[in-house]
Amino acid sequence: MSTITTREATLADMDALLQFEQGVIEAERPFDSTIKPHPTKYYDIDLMVTAPHIHLVVAELDGQPIGSGYARIQTSKPFLNHPQHCYLGFMYVLPQHRGKGVNNLIMQALKDWAINQGITELQLEVYYDNAPAVKAYEKTGFSKNMIQMRMGL
């Protein structure tokens, strides 16, 4: 039986990471009519792989990347009781591997890295109507905090 593992992403993972990025965009497109039409990009993946304040991980099975996620250290707003936090994003698992705990493994790797960096707060954004994603994040310990609102003019 093969085991799913996580590891730090490298530039050698670029093809898979670019595929995952498009998967994230396509998954989010139904929730946000303001996303530019294909082709578009969300991330500077080269930077994410090399920057010391970003930890990009891949989950892999039999040596093949099947999911991704990152933690990025950010300065918190001055009125908060934590000077920095980790923003999580680029959470993606190939459809055929969903429901196998891959997201939990990625989240745990990101939590462990954040703790090792002295971070005590994790944050992420998820579309309000994206019930499967909200449920997945709640399963890993996140709770709803604030709703971002917008208005097109």
Side-chain angles (χ1 to χ4, degrees), residues 17-37:
L17 294 169
L18 291 170
Q19 175 190 353
F20 296 167
E21 177 183 38
Q22 292 308 304
V24 171
I25 293 167
E26 290 310 308
E28 293 182 348
R29 198 176 292 283
F31 303 105
D32 190 343
S33 63
T34 67
I35 296 173
K36 291 179 181 179

Side-chain angles (χ1 to χ4, degrees), residues 42-96:
Y42 274 4
Y43 309 111
D44 181 343
I45 297 173
D46 288 324
L47 174 70
M48 293 168 66
V49 170
T50 59
H53 70 289
I54 300 174
H55 185 60
L56 176 59
V57 300
V58 294
E60 65 179 11
L61 178 64
D62 297 328
Q64 298 300 313
I66 62 168
S68 63
Y70 79 87
R72 179 181 66 223
I73 298 174
Q74 294 186 184
T75 301
S76 298
K77 294 179 180 177
F79 56 81
L80 296 175
N81 63 15
H82 50 275
Q84 295 181 312
H85 63 276
C86 273
Y87 176 84
L88 304 186
F90 200 2
M91 306 302 298
Y92 184 76
V93 176
L94 289 171
Q96 65 268 33

Side-chain angles (χ1 to χ4, degrees), residues 81-144:
N81 63 15
H82 50 275
Q84 295 181 312
H85 63 276
C86 273
Y87 176 84
L88 304 186
F90 200 2
M91 306 302 298
Y92 184 76
V93 176
L94 289 171
Q96 65 268 33
H97 296 289
R98 293 179 186 161
K100 299 177 183 178
V102 177
N103 187 59
N104 287 339
L105 291 171
I106 293 168
M107 293 293 265
Q108 190 59 56
L110 298 176
K111 287 179 192 178
D112 291 345
W113 181 81
I115 290 167
N116 287 334
Q117 303 303 306
I119 302 294
T120 61
E121 172 85 7
L122 300 178
Q123 298 179 9
L124 56 78
E125 295 174 341
V126 60
Y127 286 101
Y128 181 81
D129 290 330
N130 190 347
V134 170
K135 182 178 177 183
Y137 295 133
E138 288 176 336
K139 281 176 62 175
T140 63
F142 281 86
S143 59
K144 296 177 183 105

Side-chain angles (χ1 to χ4, degrees), residues 8-19:
E8 190 167 12
T10 70
L11 292 174
D13 297 312
M14 190 59 69
D15 288 343
L17 294 169
L18 291 170
Q19 175 190 353

